[in-house]
Amino acid sequence: LVGTMAWRPCSRLLWLLWLLAPVVVWDSRTHSNHCCVAQAEDPGQGADDMYFDDEDDDYVIDEEEEERARAQSLHDKALALAIDGKEGEALPLFAQAAELQPGNVGFMSDLGVTQMRVGLLDQALATFTQADELSPGMRLIQDNLKALQEHLDYRQEQLSKQNSDRTDL
């Protein structure tokens, strides 16, 4: 299958990551998640022969890691939607990701850009301002603020034209 089709580099990378990804297993005895790579001694053995080491605590996933993974998953879904031009659907997912990880300036930047694209300029300003407070002077945020200012200026010009048109009547 791999040799018969021309995969894009991104698809190959995702396939490789999926292949090498660890498996998260719920341990009902300790009521916690453990991360392990499922292995069998003989490649022909089935899933029943996979092992999981209860004594190895290094792979316990805590709530903070779980929240970070959930935020990343939401962000990834939102990014895919935004790339497909579905900013309206992406917006709540970006907002949830930024809410779960309030210190992640990248998540906040993507939220602000999406707010700007759907016309929520005042919310975008608040988001970018908050991101700038977390990471003062970050070029990405400064560039986004500059682009937003152009939108705000254009909106102000349009409002001024509307008001002048009304007074001329």
Side-chain angles (χ1 to χ4, degrees):
L1 177 68
V2 173
T4 62
M5 49 192 297
W7 283 20
R8 295 184 310 196
C10 184
S11 298
R12 286 187 206 131
L13 178 61
L14 291 174
W15 179 80
L16 183 60
L17 289 173
W18 175 81
L19 184 66
L20 300 175
V23 178
V24 177
V25 179
W26 177 256
D27 186 353
S28 61
R29 292 171 300 200
T30 61
H31 303 289
S32 63
N33 291 330
H34 293 271
C35 185
C36 67
V37 177
Q39 298 178 357
E41 288 184 272
D42 180 293
Q45 293 177 338
D48 293 309
D49 297 319
M50 292 181 218
Y51 74 89
F52 158 65
D53 185 6
D54 278 338
E55 301 300 319
D56 192 0
D57 271 2
D58 292 342
Y59 296 107
V60 174
I61 299 175
D62 62 7
E63 287 180 29
E64 186 178 314
E65 278 297 317
E66 209 170 285
E67 191 171 271
R68 189 180 353 246
R70 179 165 158 38
Q72 186 64 54
S73 175
L74 286 166
H75 181 266
D76 292 346
K77 289 175 187 173
L79 196 56
L81 288 168
I83 288 170
D84 286 343
K86 300 176 182 176
E87 288 90 359
E89 294 176 42
L91 184 61
L93 298 177
F94 277 130
Q96 288 175 356
E99 186 177 316
L100 287 170
Q101 293 291 300
N104 189 322
V105 178
F107 286 4
M108 294 177 76
S109 174
D110 290 341
L111 172 61
V113 168
T114 305
Q115 289 168 328
M116 197 167 45
R117 288 184 177 166
V118 298
L120 302 172
L121 302 181
D122 296 324
Q123 290 91 331
L125 180 59
T127 300
F128 289 140
T129 302
Q130 184 180 2
D132 191 45
E133 289 171 1
L134 289 172
S135 187
M138 184 177 184
R139 183 175 175 111
L140 174 66
I141 301 303
Q142 296 306 311
D143 290 346
N144 287 336
L145 282 167
K146 183 179 177 183
L148 176 61
Q149 189 59 52
E150 291 173 10
H151 286 280
L152 291 169
D153 291 344
Y154 179 77
R155 181 177 72 176
Q156 187 59 42
E157 286 175 24
Q158 296 303 310
L159 290 173
S160 296
K161 283 182 184 179
Q162 287 177 355
N163 288 338
S164 69
D165 290 345
R166 287 185 188 147
T167 57
D168 290 340
L169 296 176

